[in-house]
Amino acid sequence: MFGSILLVPMNKLAQLFENNKAWVDSVLKEDPQFFKRLSQQQNPKYLWIGCSDSRVPANQITGLEPGEVFVHRNVANMVNHTDFNCLSVVQFAVDILKVSDIIICGHYGCGGVKAAMEGSGLGIIDNWVRSIKETHYYHSDVLDKIQESEGRSDKLCELNVVQQVLNLSHTSIIQKAWSQGQSISIHGWIYGLDNGLVKDLGVEVSSKKQLDKEFLIRSKVRNS
Ligand code: CO
């Protein structure tokens, strides 16, 4: 039984192993202790919550090395209060790793956001992004004024990031951390697939007090 698994030809993925070997060699050339040191502990300052889209890799975009950013990715960079996958990552990052900053990074042209906008019938993903429809509805006054559908979906990509910043800020994990005086800032960013640049949406939240201003925060992005 296991033999048949081993007989699966490797050549399709051989390039990846070659790439891996070349990468290890180049890292060790620069820093012979790199992997030894990293295997003993990780001490990232940042948690990245981003989209699963293959064009938005957290480390490459931010120029961070292995060990420097803890990463969670899902379709359309969602923070749902019933998603134990995301919540487990957040709790580990906050309680154990004690990250100082959490970045929620969306991207323009996000297929998940478009699926929510267009009701495209992609299958289970429609359930996953359903709450983006609520964000769409909530901001329909602003979105309906945008003529072009790409511009409309890009604005919804921004508004979705803001919504996820708020969702994360309201989790019991973040609320407890702030109550205990832990210093954590949550940031909303968006990435441009066509130019590689990250834009700060200016929705940083670092305390419960700032959350009271959430409507102002939303309107900043709404009116830009
Ligand atoms: Co996406």
Side-chain angles (χ1 to χ4, degrees):
M1 175 184 162
F2 293 109
S4 62
I5 292 170
L6 293 172
L7 284 175
V8 171
M10 287 282 294
N11 54 348
K12 269 205 304 185
L13 302 180
Q15 186 63 52
L16 304 189
F17 286 90
E18 279 173 33
N19 293 351
N20 172 246
K21 183 72 175 59
W23 173 69
V24 170
D25 290 346
S26 71
V27 171
L28 291 178
K29 209 171 145 192
E30 290 281 312
D31 181 358
Q33 297 303 312
F34 183 81
F35 294 108
K36 197 168 180 207
R37 199 173 57 246
L38 216 55
S39 69
Q40 279 151 18
Q41 67 161 46
Q42 61 168 336
N43 191 22
K45 290 193 192 83
Y46 316 110
L47 165 62
W48 173 280
I49 299 176
C51 183
S52 298
D53 193 301
S54 63
R55 298 165 292 180
V56 196
N59 286 72
Q60 275 164 290
I61 286 172
T62 52
L64 292 171
E65 296 293 330
E68 293 185 325
V69 58
F70 203 60
V71 174
H72 176 77
R73 289 168 69 180
N74 62 46
V75 171
N77 41 271
M78 306 292 283
V79 178
N80 290 324
H81 290 233
T82 50
D83 176 11
F84 284 95
N85 183 352
C86 180
L87 294 180
S88 301
V89 171
V90 171
Q91 188 182 5
F92 191 80
V94 170
D95 289 354
I96 312 295
L97 298 173
K98 309 265 186 220
V99 296
S100 59
D101 295 271
I102 304 179
I103 297 148
I104 297 184
C105 188
H107 66 99
Y108 293 122
C110 182
V113 172
K114 280 186 187 162
M117 235 178 121
E118 294 160 8
S120 48
L122 290 175
I124 200 160
I125 201 168
D126 296 318
N127 298 287
W128 177 251
V129 297
R130 199 201 65 87
S131 66
I132 301 178
K133 284 179 191 289
E134 286 164 24
T135 305
H136 188 190
Y137 178 72
Y138 185 86
H139 298 286
S140 55
D141 57 333
V142 168
L143 292 164
D144 289 348
K145 283 185 197 141
I146 304 170
Q147 300 285 320
E148 201 204 350
S149 86
E150 205 176 314
R152 217 162 36 239
S153 90
D154 282 349
K155 179 59 106 180
L156 186 55
C157 288
E158 293 181 351
L159 292 165
N160 179 48
V161 169
V162 178
Q163 186 59 53
Q164 304 317 316
V165 167
L166 295 175
N167 287 356
L168 179 59
S169 302
H170 285 296
T171 60
S172 54
I173 303 159
I174 298 295
Q175 291 282 312
K176 186 176 137 222
W178 280 335
S179 299
Q180 293 173 342
Q182 202 171 329
S183 171
I184 301 173
S185 298
I186 301 169
H187 312 262
W189 293 1
I190 193 144
Y191 176 77
L193 294 175
D194 60 350
N195 62 12
L197 293 172
V198 163
K199 185 165 101 185
D200 188 344
L201 290 171
V203 290
E204 183 177 336
V205 186
S206 307
S207 68
K208 280 188 186 182
K209 211 173 144 195
Q210 281 175 307
L211 264 186
D212 298 336
K213 296 178 183 167
E214 68 182 43
F215 290 104
L216 280 177
I217 291 166
R218 284 185 199 204
S219 63
K220 236 191 203 172
V221 172
R222 274 166 55 94
N223 300 325
S224 65

